[in-house]
Amino acid sequence: MSISSDDKKYIWHPFTQMKTAENPIPIVSGKGSLLIDEDDNSYIDAISSWWVNLHGHAHPYIAQKVNQQMGKLEHVMFAGFTHEPATTLCAKLSRHLPQNQRKFFFSGDGSSAVEIALKISIQYWKNKGIRRHRILALEGGYHGETFGAMSAGAKSIFSAPFENYLFEVDHLPFPSDEEATLSALKSQLEKKDVACFIFEPLVQGASGMRMYSSATLNKMIALCKQYNVLCVADEVMTGFGRTGTYFASNQLNIEPDIMCLSKSLSGGTLPLSLTTCSQNIYDSFLGDDLSTAFLHGHSFTGNPIGCAAAIASIELLEKEECQKQIKNITNRHRAFAMEIAKHPMVKNVRQSGTILAMDIRSEKRGYSSDIKQLLYQHFIADGVLLRPLGNVVYILPPYCITNDELNKVYNSIFEALKKVE
Ligand SMILES: *Cc1c(COP(=O)(O)O)cnc(C)c1O
């Protein structure tokens, strides 16, 4: 069954512009790493459909668990009620999260998880009767599309139309120069009015898979803790094995106070997110009346079907087979990185676990660069879904990707480089 162009005309796709308006590829089905379109062309989903998919598309085990839950309880409001999928999910997650993460607040997407983290941080200090209102973030960060998340993120073409409506956030230099970042952090902390520091641990996703060391992040968090500043790890992209460990924060020797999870939380099947925090933070919200309570709740908070998908995804992730695959992808990437780094058109090849990224040498940079479009078209024609961020080509595959599929992705990058040369 093909979609008629008359039916297609109503949909406003993200990022539509005149010259691309628009011929979205109609996807009919998915299986493993593959997406299959109306004309039976297949595409290897080498970026996990915007970093969400974990075990492949239309996974039968997740589908079965979602189905069962659908027939039992589809939804119930979450103020004053609870259910087994939510409690099981949180108990399972608590075994992988840093030990201090004890309380879990549900929402529906990464941006909301970030808004909640910021609101919790701000209200925590209000509840304590201490004046601390400023928010620190890293230059080049991306935390989502809502106003708070945009405020914390880097100023860009995405946020430009709304600049007058964003609240003030202080941005620290990206920690490529550790000393500069630490000294900027210290001078901010000395003002003693910082409520929280939010960061994407180890890898900044949307700004171009920019990576920095756990050693530096350890020092930054340690410094924040000296000044009692809450540290918020936005693991919306880095969570669930992408960086080689269950969470990127597992590579730190110091625990963040708050964490944001979404994207692969449900295996990339349903919208679901969590903001987790320490007992100490939660306790500050318990008072005799509502004035210190966290008065925030989305209609679909704690949706049981999303939770069922997340439990199924975590069960798959815990399997030895999946852990082996994560190691295999990491090793294959490492070998490819050595090869591609020799190419004259490539620089800054970098890797964190299953995420591999490189810059393509080009006059034109930035998100809307022509090179991005040229590369994207090449990959699609080649049956590979890779969507460069400006001149940054990266691979972030689902864990079910096969060695043959990985080879095809690697080859497609080599072929693309011939075209831009
Ligand atoms: C994608 C992303 C978000 C926003 O999540 P949405 O579900 O798209 O709202 C927030 N933080 C990071 C680090 C992300 O990569």
Side-chain angles (χ1 to χ4, degrees), residues 51 109-111 114 142-144 200 234 236-237 262-263:
W51 325 340
D109 55 70
S111 305
V114 167
Y142 175 79
H143 299 288
E200 293 159 272
D234 177 354
V236 169
M237 190 278 282
S262 188
K263 291 200 166 115

Side-chain angles (χ1 to χ4, degrees), residues 343 345 360-362 370-372 374-375 413 415-421:
H343 197 288
M345 294 295 293
I360 308 302
R361 286 181 196 274
S362 152
D370 290 344
I371 186 130
K372 169 200 160 89
L374 181 80
L375 292 167
I413 294 175
E415 290 299 313
L417 291 174
K418 286 185 191 157
K419 288 196 182 162
V420 294
E421 249 166 343

Side-chain angles (χ1 to χ4, degrees), residues 159-175:
S159 61
F162 316 104
E163 213 137 291
N164 291 336
Y165 302 88
L166 303 180
F167 56 77
E168 211 178 276
V169 169
D170 296 294
H171 288 93
L172 303 168
F174 183 79

Side-chain angles (χ1 to χ4, degrees), residues 17 49 59 79 95 141 146 205 215 217 231 233 272 284 303 314-315 323 328 331 337 367 369 374:
Q17 56 176 310
S49 280
H59 196 287
R95 294 198 275 276
T146 49
L217 186 55
C231 293
L272 186 73
S284 77
N303 177 257
I314 289 170
E315 284 169 357
Q323 292 303 314
N328 180 54
N331 292 335
Y367 192 87
S369 75
L374 181 80

